[in-house]
Amino acid sequence: MADESKNRDFSISETYRHNLLTFQEIRTRNPAMIECLRLAQEAALHDLPIMILGENGTGKNLMAQAIHTAGKRADRPFVAVNCSAIPEPLIESELFGHEKGAFTDARRIHKGKFEIAAEGTLLLDEIGDLSLAAQAKILRVVEYKQFERVGGEETLETKARFITATNKDLRELVAGGLFRQDLYFRLRGFTIEVPPLRDRQEDLVFLVDEIIEESNRKFGKSVRGTSAGALRLFRDYSWPGNIRELKSVVSAAVIVEKGDELSEDNGSFGVLRDGLAVGALPAPRAVEEDGVYTMDQMEKRHISAVLRRTGGNKAQAAKLLDISRPTLDRKIAKYGIGVDGSQAD
Ligand SMILES: Nc1ncnc2c1ncn2[C@@H]1O[C@H](COP(=O)(O)OP(=O)(O)O)[C@@H](O)[C@H]1O
Ligand SMILES: [Mg+2]
């Protein structure tokens, strides 16, 4: 029956159904954040695209879920795609799907995220990390609501509402030729800028208390609060990873705390002290993930990242890096970087 297949299309696959959150779960006492939530709640009721901007860990995903849950599409799928996690050659098939036999491994029809999102919400997360080639492909869907599965003839239509999120400064990317201006204007719709935790001092203490309580329950501890010294550390730190980082630092501190309250010299606070010197500078991601790199390794990574962003366009990459084309070619050869920016490590 038609109705049945309709239902199946709308069923949310496990991957996307992590108990979608609501606005009640976004906790804040900060005026700028309250205003931001007010805007998001208003935007949730309309079908314009929504763009959520903010540093890592500020709650962009949370907000996208809350918008979905608060809107007319709440009983439809919520599909989140992390654009930075899909390898370039797979992007088309991930987003648009593919037909059986479209390429060697395509043994059956595969539905893409646009199709799975159906009449629900599609969150294109980390949109600032998409290559220019992928941006061009997405533009058509956003503009004309139409797409084809890879290897398919039939033109499919999307009725999904689009939410995009990124920690990148998209305007800067547009100015630098790394993000299509037409796509940027299409997606901008309502723009919601989530403030970083360091600008939300009103939130720090009660969020810490909530995390302590949750960690007490989870780890069978009975920490009762935070010492003045520890709070000072929290206030002085820049929290480049925002609430995600706060959660991990505080829950680790609860686990190792021997006293009644989180003390200043709790072993898990070392990172906060070391971080003070860099102040508000967000930690470069490569260092955050894997430890310390040599200058050569950093250069290799940086060139690779820029090449990936330009979709392998070396002229554009050289311009962005502010080096000559021959210098870029020499470095590419030196580090064994692939044309598409892939790194042979
Ligand atoms: N206002 C908030 N109150 C409580 N928890 C929050 C809040 N904002 C973010 N979090 C938590 O912080 C973590 C990071 O949030 P997330 O939405 O994934 O951030 P982003 O997508 O901006 O990187 C998640 O565990 C989320 O539940
Ligand atoms: Mg996120």
Side-chain angles (χ1 to χ4, degrees):
M1 234 178 76
D3 246 23
E4 230 175 71
S5 71
K6 215 172 168 188
N7 278 338
R8 215 173 311 128
D9 275 348
F10 291 151
S11 75
I12 308 174
S13 93
E14 269 311 303
T15 346
Y16 310 120
R17 167 155 243 162
H18 24 248
N19 280 327
L20 296 177
L21 296 163
T22 64
F23 277 109
Q24 276 75 47
E25 272 134 309
I26 306 182
R27 319 270 296 118
T28 191
R29 293 177 189 171
N30 169 262
M33 186 64 186
I34 291 169
E35 178 55 23
C36 175
L37 290 174
R38 201 192 56 76
L39 179 63
Q41 270 167 307
E42 187 62 41
L45 307 175
H46 307 282
D47 258 347
L48 273 185
I50 297 179
M51 180 173 278
I52 309 175
L53 306 173
E55 292 180 10
N56 274 325
T58 45
K60 297 187 297 298
N61 282 51
L62 211 61
M63 191 166 290
Q65 290 178 36
I67 288 169
H68 173 76
T69 325
K72 288 177 287 197
R73 299 162 184 263
D75 59 342
R76 306 293 194 202
F78 173 82
V79 175
V81 189
N82 184 346
C83 298
S84 69
I86 315 173
E88 186 69 27
L90 297 184
I91 282 186
E92 251 182 304
S93 132
E94 270 307 293
L95 295 178
F96 310 131
H98 61 70
E99 297 288 340
K100 184 175 163 184
F103 41 87
T104 328
D105 287 336
R107 297 212 176 77
R108 56 191 184 87
I109 287 189
H110 168 79
K111 283 190 186 174
K113 305 297 191 211
F114 280 100
E115 201 173 341
I116 298 171
E119 297 179 7
T121 302
L122 180 63
L123 167 64
L124 295 167
D125 201 1
E126 312 293 0
I127 185 97
D129 292 339
L130 275 185
S131 69
L132 286 164
Q135 290 170 29
K137 285 165 193 154
I138 284 183
L139 177 68
R140 175 173 169 236
V141 196
V142 175
E143 209 154 38
Y144 302 108
K145 313 285 178 205
Q146 289 178 341
F147 64 97
E148 284 95 32
R149 295 191 193 119
V150 176
E153 313 248 285
E154 191 191 352
T155 298
L156 305 173
E157 202 182 325
T158 176
K159 296 203 170 94
R161 120 91 68 116
F162 300 118
I163 302 182
T164 48
T166 180
N167 59 4
K168 298 270 157 64
D169 184 340
L170 279 189
R171 269 167 301 199
E172 199 173 279
L173 293 186
V174 169
L178 288 177
F179 201 87
R180 292 183 67 112
Q181 191 175 42
D182 43 10
L183 183 61
Y184 171 65
F185 286 138
R186 279 278 163 195
L187 292 173
R188 207 169 48 166
F190 289 104
T191 305
I192 299 172
E193 293 190 45
V194 189
L197 181 59
R198 80 183 75 86
D199 293 343
R200 287 155 60 179
Q201 289 295 325
E202 301 87 346
D203 289 351
L204 200 56
V205 176
F206 89 86
L207 280 178
V208 167
D209 285 344
E210 284 187 1
I211 300 166
I212 291 178
E213 256 173 60
E214 195 188 322
S215 308
N216 278 339
R217 271 198 308 277
K218 239 183 22 231
F219 308 115
K221 301 281 294 189
S222 48
V223 172
R224 278 204 302 272
T226 314
S227 69
L231 266 182
R232 214 172 310 120
L233 275 180
F234 291 173
R235 292 208 184 282
D236 289 345
Y237 184 59
S238 67
W239 299 107
N242 293 286
I243 299 174
R244 183 178 292 116
E245 186 182 16
L246 183 73
K247 277 186 154 179
S248 80
V249 168
V250 173
S251 48
V254 167
I255 294 177
V256 300
E257 184 57 58
K258 297 256 189 318
D260 282 350
E261 51 175 25
L262 296 183
S263 73
E264 193 178 345
D265 43 42
N266 183 298
S268 105
F269 295 155
V271 57
L272 308 187
R273 258 180 234 103
D274 298 344
L276 293 182
V278 284
L281 272 184
R285 224 189 283 177
V287 173
E288 202 172 286
E289 281 163 9
D290 300 313
V292 175
Y293 291 100
T294 63
M295 292 308 284
D296 268 9
Q297 283 169 323
M298 284 301 286
E299 186 170 80
K300 175 178 175 186
R301 273 171 191 259
H302 186 59
I303 293 173
S304 304
V306 172
L307 271 172
R308 275 200 302 278
R309 186 65 71 59
T310 63
N313 184 327
K314 290 188 201 169
Q316 219 169 22
K319 203 164 140 225
L320 285 160
L321 290 163
D322 198 22
I323 55 177
S324 71
R325 178 61 196 273
T327 306
L328 177 63
D329 283 334
R330 214 167 42 242
K331 288 179 189 292
I332 287 174
K334 172 178 167 193
Y335 296 128
I337 298 169
V339 275
D340 55 351
S342 56
Q343 298 174 52
D345 261 319

